[in-house]
Amino acid sequence: MSDDMLLHFSSNSSNQSDNSLPTKMAKLEARLVGKVSSATGSQQPPQTQQLQQQQQQQPVWSSLSSASKFVSAEDLSEASSSSDSDDENGGEFLIQANTLKRQKIQGDGNLPVFEHVEAATEGTQKIVEPMESKASSEGNRRKQGRGRGHSVSSRGRGSRANDQTKQTSSSTVTPSNGQLENSFHKDSRPKEQFWTDQRTSLEEEVTSLRAKVAALEEDLRKCRQEVSDYQNLCRQLEKELKDIKDYDQQMKPKRTKMISDLLIAVSKAERQEARMKVRQDSLRLGNVGVIRAGTVISETWEDGQALKDLNAHLRQLLEAKEAVERQRKQLKKRQSDKGDASDAESSAQEEDVLIQDEIYKSRLASIKREEESLLRERDRCELDKGRLIREMKRIRDEDGSRFNNFQILNNRYALLNLLGKGGFSEVYKGYDLVEHRYVACKLHGLNAQWSEDKKQSYIRHAIREYNIHKTLVHHHIVRLWDIFEIDQNTFCTVLEYCSGKDLDAVLKATPVLPEKEARIIIVQIFQGLVYLNKRAQKIIHYDLKPGNVLFDELGVAKVTDFGLSKIVEDDVGSQGMELTSQGAGTYW
Ligand SMILES: Nc1ncnc2c1ncn2[C@@H]1O[C@H](COP(=O)(O)OP(=O)(O)OP(=O)(O)O)[C@@H](O)[C@H]1O
């Protein structure tokens, strides 16, 4: 054993604090001797065996060292786990080698493991030099080289590879010194090659990583650029939005003015059209005339030309009918007067009478048909006359109203045309300039002549109506949107606008409503009433009548006018409520 080798051993031994090391060494040597002798046979002299024993110890170390060198270089952390697996499978022989390796790593700290390996390799070279000429072991060396290379390269792959390494290591015990030396020479070249390859691949990897980093940096730069572009765009859009909002704010009064001007223009046109239609219809259907009787001037209705003509035509038909009836009577009388005539004469006369009678009958039937048609026409005219009278009243009320000059109430509601006038209120069609929808503005006017008590009572009623009505949200109940004061004697409630007629007008226009239509109207009203009675605070309407059922543009029926309604108190019990309020409901 060379000095280096001894030194190496001693250094290894000194690193070990384990006192049982000499015993282990002895065991190891004994094992090696056993293995070598079994491999080389028992013919060799004990000296040669000893020499071989000494020489064979070195390759095992160097082999293990080279393995540990590779493992250390590859991954130091993995070395400990590899050693563990060696411990499990390799017994004491391998434990020794790995313990050394581990201690070397721990003891040397940053000191490269290669030094240890090189020292071991040098020692081996010195030992194996005289044995070099053994040509017969060439094949084995190759195998060894491959085996080692394999075990080295697969070291990092797991414990199975370690097992292989151990097997290879065990097999390397048997070859001669020349084989070992050659194997080391052979080993060092692939290692260099390996390291060169490793380095090249690492360099390539570094280069590719650098390229990736550069690409990522470029991406980042682009992203930053994009972010800043977007931020700029955002700022620009925010500015634009602000400008638009400012402009919108600036334009709002102008826009409101423009909308209300347009609405006023349309309403004015509608007013004109309504008045023109009234004039035309009144020519046809009639007008209100003034009759002076002494000092008393009273208003009376004068039928229009169409009604006059119809009535005249009906009178004519009546006269014609009477004339025919008279002729018929005379015919029958003549026939009874000529009762003593001969048979032949009498039969001819009878036949004439019968024919004449048939003519009269047929004339009467045609008069009746004509009369019926004229009567239907007159009914239609009467309906139109009723509408005309209502429209005339509305126009008169509109003309007499102090709200007929297209005011904008509460800076929001543009008053348009009068829809109708109730007992104490005027209802105007309006336009909500904020929500942009048509509404009905009900203007409650307190009579200036009323006593203070009466005014207060009226206001209480109106406020109660508002408080009840504002909580009602149902498809068949007219919505109440708003309430506000106009002046000391007037306030306004803003209601959902119903563009259709009220049920009263419908029933007047169609005296015999088809059952199907009547049923669907009733169903809708009942749905509204059921809603009023299913709430926590039940409500009695108290003024349900056709005039308080309105239709929207789609024909949906809605209950309105909660001015007389009452909330059913909880403590009423089964007795019901007494109708105490004076004038509750509508008299008729
Ligand atoms: N929400 C509405 N939408 C459309 N028209 C309405 C609306 N509310 C009321 N009207 C119309 O306005 C007119 C007057 O209604 P208002 O409720 O003031 O009077 P009324 O019910 O006839 O009388 P009173 O309230 O004294 O019983 C009616 O012809 C009605 O058709």
Side-chain angles (χ1 to χ4, degrees):
M1 193 179 284
S2 71
D3 292 344
D4 287 345
M5 193 65 179
L6 281 169
L7 229 158
H8 175 68
F9 260 110
S10 63
S11 74
N12 274 343
S13 314
S14 67
N15 281 343
Q16 274 182 294
S17 58
D18 191 356
N19 293 332
S20 65
L21 189 63
T23 329
K24 284 183 180 173
M25 289 291 286
K27 275 187 186 174
L28 177 64
E29 277 169 13
R31 268 197 183 197
L32 282 168
V33 169
K35 279 190 183 173
V36 170
S37 60
S38 68
T40 53
S42 57
Q43 295 112 329
Q44 283 178 324
Q47 267 186 347
T48 322
Q49 279 186 5
Q50 205 178 345
L51 184 64
Q52 280 177 344
Q53 204 177 318
Q54 284 166 350
Q55 285 166 347
Q56 280 160 359
Q57 273 182 348
Q58 187 54 46
V60 174
W61 285 110
S62 72
S63 158
L64 289 166
S65 302
S66 69
S68 69
K69 170 189 162 187
F70 177 70
V71 171
S72 313
E74 241 186 10
D75 186 358
L76 283 173
S77 65
E78 215 175 295
S80 63
S81 67
S82 305
S83 301
D84 290 347
S85 64
D86 284 349
D87 288 347
E88 279 164 25
N89 302 315
E92 284 176 45
F93 173 69
L94 287 168
I95 287 166
Q96 189 77 359
N98 282 328
T99 313
L100 285 171
K101 179 183 73 186
R102 199 182 296 144
Q103 281 174 345
K104 189 78 179 154
I105 293 161
Q106 284 167 354
D108 290 347
N110 290 334
L111 188 72
V113 186
F114 308 116
E115 280 177 26
H116 160 75
V117 175
E118 268 161 27
T121 317
E122 269 172 39
T124 316
Q125 274 176 343
K126 277 180 189 170
I127 294 162
V128 296
E129 242 169 298
M131 307 270 193
E132 213 173 72
S133 59
K134 285 208 171 183
S136 61
S137 60
E138 190 63 38
N140 284 343
R141 275 204 304 272
R142 279 204 192 116
K143 267 188 199 168
Q144 257 184 334
R146 272 202 298 276
R148 261 194 218 108
H150 178 68
S151 71
V152 163
S153 62
S154 55
R155 187 38 98 115
R157 286 181 201 153
S159 62
R160 271 181 66 186
N162 291 335
D163 293 345
Q164 271 189 339
T165 313
K166 274 174 265 168
Q167 281 165 12
T168 319
S169 301
S170 305
S171 70
T172 54
V173 173
T174 46
S176 68
N177 286 340
Q179 282 174 315
L180 289 167
E181 188 221 5
N182 278 345
S183 76
F184 278 115
H185 276 299
K186 275 206 146 191
D187 269 356
S188 63
R189 259 175 281 135
K191 274 174 208 158
E192 274 168 26
Q193 182 62 38
F194 171 78
W195 283 115
T196 319
D197 290 352
Q198 193 76 346
R199 194 177 162 172
T200 318
S201 78
L202 280 171
E203 276 171 3
E204 277 169 9
E205 209 173 314
V206 166
T207 316
S208 85
L209 282 171
R210 280 207 181 111
K212 273 184 192 166
V213 167
L216 285 170
E217 274 173 356
E218 181 57 21
D219 280 356
L220 186 67
R221 196 190 58 73
K222 277 182 191 162
C223 283
R224 282 202 178 121
Q225 184 59 44
E226 264 177 41
V227 165
S228 101
D229 287 353
Y230 279 126
Q231 277 171 346
N232 285 343
L233 191 68
C234 234
R235 271 193 291 275
Q236 198 182 325
L237 286 172
E238 271 169 12
K239 195 180 165 299
E240 271 177 36
L241 188 70
K242 194 181 164 296
D243 289 350
I244 288 169
K245 274 184 182 167
D246 288 350
Y247 181 74
D248 184 60
Q249 211 58 31
Q250 255 182 9
M251 291 302 289
K252 206 175 171 183
K254 279 187 193 167
R255 206 175 42 240
T256 307
K257 175 93 176 61
M258 200 181 277
I259 292 172
S260 58
D261 282 354
L262 279 170
L263 288 164
I264 288 166
V266 171
S267 301
K268 277 183 176 169
E270 280 174 1
R271 276 189 195 185
Q272 260 188 353
E273 202 185 329
R275 278 154 185 76
M276 223 154 72
K277 190 167 186 308
V278 162
R279 272 198 294 276
Q280 278 171 3
D281 285 353
S282 57
L283 284 177
R284 193 169 67 90
L285 302 167
N287 208 339
V288 179
V290 181
I291 296 174
R292 191 188 286 263
T295 52
V296 181
I297 297 171
S298 57
E299 281 184 340
T300 181
W301 180 257
E302 268 181 37
D303 278 339
Q305 198 55 51
L307 267 173
K308 278 181 186 165
D309 289 350
L310 271 173
N311 286 332
H313 202 155
L314 278 168
R315 268 198 303 278
Q316 276 176 5
L317 283 178
L318 191 69
E319 281 168 16
K321 197 169 89 178
E322 282 170 357
V324 174
E325 295 267 343
R326 256 197 318 274
Q327 289 296 319
R328 242 185 112 195
K329 272 185 192 163
Q330 281 174 4
L331 186 71
K332 280 186 180 167
K333 196 169 178 249
R334 269 205 307 273
Q335 195 188 10
S336 59
D337 289 347
K338 291 176 182 172
D340 49 352
S342 66
D343 282 353
E345 270 182 358
S346 70
S347 65
Q349 277 174 358
E350 234 173 71
E351 210 177 309
D352 281 349
V353 168
L354 276 174
I355 288 168
Q356 198 60 44
D357 193 45
E358 279 305 311
I359 291 167
Y360 291 148
K361 270 196 215 164
S362 134
R363 175 72 187 130
L364 282 172
S366 95
I367 288 170
K368 200 177 174 202
R369 272 201 306 278
E370 213 174 335
E371 194 182 39
E372 277 169 1
S373 148
L374 283 174
L375 282 172
R376 277 198 299 275
E377 179 69 21
R378 198 174 67 174
D379 285 347
R380 267 200 299 277
C381 280
E382 287 294 333
L383 284 174
D384 287 348
K385 188 172 109 180
R387 263 199 295 272
L388 175 67
I389 291 169
R390 270 204 301 278
E391 181 64 355
M392 283 173 156
K393 186 176 171 299
R394 187 195 70 76
I395 287 172
R396 191 192 283 189
D397 289 337
E398 189 174 74
D399 290 344
S401 167
R402 68 181 174 109
F403 295 104
N404 66 4
N405 50 352
F406 305 107
Q407 297 173 36
I408 292 178
L409 301 179
N410 218 23
N411 288 322
R412 178 169 176 175
Y413 303 104
L415 285 189
L416 305 173
N417 294 329
L418 184 79
L419 293 168
K421 194 171 179 203
F424 305 105
S425 60
E426 289 175 351
V427 181
Y428 269 86
K429 182 178 177 178
Y431 187 82
D432 184 344
L433 294 163
V434 173
E435 291 289 334
H436 294 286
R437 63 183 170 206
Y438 284 107
V439 290
C441 295
K442 190 167 182 172
L443 304 158
H444 305 256
L446 307 182
N447 194 326
Q449 316 295 318
W450 287 350
S451 69
E452 222 25 64
D453 278 357
K454 197 171 176 183
K455 279 184 187 172
Q456 287 311 314
S457 159
Y458 185 84
I459 290 169
R460 263 204 315 278
H461 259 83
I463 290 172
R464 199 192 48 216
E465 176 182 2
Y466 169 71
N467 284 331
I468 294 172
H469 199 164
K470 74 175 177 188
T471 62
L472 306 177
V473 182
H474 190 264
H475 195 48
H476 297 297
I477 306 282
V478 171
R479 282 295 302 274
L480 176 67
W481 302 118
D482 201 1
I483 185 167
F484 56 92
E485 193 184 281
I486 297 170
D487 57 42
Q488 240 196 336
N489 288 320
T490 327
F491 65 93
C492 176
T493 47
V494 181
L495 299 150
E496 177 185 353
Y497 174 62
C498 297
S499 62
K501 299 175 192 166
D502 59 54
L503 183 58
D504 185 48
V506 171
L507 293 176
K508 277 177 180 146
T510 326
V512 184
L513 202 65
E515 190 185 328
K516 228 178 171 182
E517 284 175 42
R519 211 164 38 207
I520 195 62
I521 292 169
I522 292 290
V523 164
Q524 294 176 78
I525 295 167
F526 279 2
Q527 279 180 352
L529 295 181
V530 166
Y531 167 75
L532 295 180
N533 280 275
K534 272 197 171 168
R535 290 157 38 93
Q537 273 192 323
K538 293 177 174 51
I539 289 168
I540 298 178
H541 187 279
Y542 266 125
D543 197 12
L544 196 61
K545 59 177 181 177
N548 285 336
V549 176
L550 307 177
F551 293 94
D552 69 7
E553 73 275 17
L554 300 172
V556 177
K558 291 169 190 263
V559 177
T560 189
D561 204 347
F562 287 79
L564 299 170
S565 58
K566 281 189 173 68
I567 294 171
V568 182
E569 304 298 340
D570 287 341
D571 56 0
V572 165
S574 58
Q575 320 258 297
M577 276 176 68
E578 228 179 294
L579 205 155
T580 49
S581 45
Q582 290 173 1
T586 301
Y587 178 78
W588 293 110

